[in-house]
Amino acid sequence: MRSKDWFKINGISSYTVEIYVDTPAVPPMAQQRYTTYQVGADEDITFPDNIFDDIIYSITFYTFRNDFDNTDIYSFLSDARTLEISRLPRYYYKIRQLSLDSPENLFRGEKIRYKLNFRLAPFRYFAENPAISLRNNSIVVNRGTRYSKPIFRIVGTGDIFVNVNNQIFEVKGLAENQEIIIDSSKFITYSGNQLFYNQTSGKYPLLTVGENTVSWGGDVKNVEISKNERCY
């Protein structure tokens, strides 16, 4: 039996382990944090912070078998990093934590129910996130509803910089035609196993919602960007 609904772990569908999935609920919007100040007047003052809590979410699924050999299911769920669901096929969520409740017998053991519990990062990301080649002074459009933390792949020599919306990020001391990764999602710059600890300056580049101007300078041969677009 196959459900019309599905979920994917690390891009692999629940179809591969032959489980039946209840129609998954749409995850709620992440709760925004607030700061309240007691000002001594007749009411407090509250301001929204630029921080969002993780999302708590669950999926129920079933197997139709007369044994509890769920080795394939446990393997499918291991090392879970991303979640996609059939009701939001254009997006994925980043998994912080995953747990699976003990299986429950239904109908004389021929139907077994599982409940899968997630702690998800606050935002959902576009599932399609290709690396895009850029020309100098390009316009890069962020289709999301929140600023994104892109990844740049750059081939260059010596001292170079990237300029995103007039915010400059510099990297110094590249070898000849060395490929580096500027990862704004993790705030690291590296090349293979080499981390650029003291060779960078400036704020890691971000993409605002809508149009962004991207340029660079120095001896740069090639620039690619993965936008990592995300939504509330």
Side-chain angles (χ1 to χ4, degrees), residues 14-197:
S14 54
Y15 287 158
T16 63
V17 288
E18 299 181 350
I19 59 179
Y20 185 94
V21 182
D22 273 352
T23 300
V26 176
M29 180 179 175
Q31 177 66 52
Q32 188 171 11
R33 297 182 190 176
Y34 293 82
T35 297
T36 298
Y37 298 93
Q38 297 179 351
V39 295
D42 60 348
E43 62 179 286
D44 297 332
I45 298 176
T46 300
F47 295 99
D49 298 329
N50 194 32
I51 300 173
F52 290 77
D53 291 330
D54 290 343
I55 297 169
I56 304 303
Y57 181 67
S58 64
I59 292 175
T60 300
F61 66 87
Y62 305 88
T63 59
F64 294 85
R65 57 177 69 165
N66 55 13
D67 63 58
F68 283 90
D69 186 358
N70 46 30
T71 304
D72 55 344
I73 296 174
Y74 288 0
S75 178
F76 166 63
L77 297 175
S78 66
D79 194 28
R81 298 179 300 279
T82 64
L83 170 70
E84 300 170 61
I85 60 174
S86 54
R87 299 189 78 178
L88 290 171
R90 295 177 57 205
Y91 305 95
Y92 75 88
Y93 289 84
K94 293 183 178 180
I95 298 173
R96 302 274 203 220
Q97 296 178 13
L98 176 152
S99 65
L100 186 64
D101 290 354
S102 296
E104 180 183 358
N105 263 323
L106 301 173
F107 302 117
R108 301 177 183 176
E110 295 177 0
K111 181 179 180 182
I112 303 172
R113 178 167 60 195
Y114 295 81
K115 184 180 179 184
L116 189 55
N117 307 296
F118 296 94
R119 179 179 289 274
L120 305 173
F123 309 106
R124 57 189 181 193
Y125 291 77
F126 281 80
E128 291 188 6
N129 187 34
I132 301 170
S133 294
L134 299 181
R135 295 181 179 180
N136 212 343
N137 294 305
S138 292
I139 298 296
V140 176
V141 177
N142 174 11
R143 302 167 298 165
T145 58
R146 185 168 172 82
Y147 72 85
S148 74
K149 303 175 181 179
I151 297 174
F152 284 90
R153 295 169 180 81
I154 299 176
V155 177
T157 302
D159 300 343
I160 67 167
F161 69 85
V162 177
N163 185 340
V164 180
N165 299 327
N166 296 320
Q167 291 286 334
I168 294 177
F169 184 82
E170 297 181 279
V171 185
K172 297 182 178 181
L174 275 66
E176 184 175 358
N177 293 329
Q178 184 174 14
E179 181 180 78
I180 63 167
I181 308 296
I182 300 173
D183 189 339
S184 296
S185 66
K186 297 178 180 177
F187 299 105
I188 58 173
T189 301
Y190 63 94
S191 176
N193 294 324
Q194 176 189 358
L195 288 175
F196 285 71
Y197 283 116

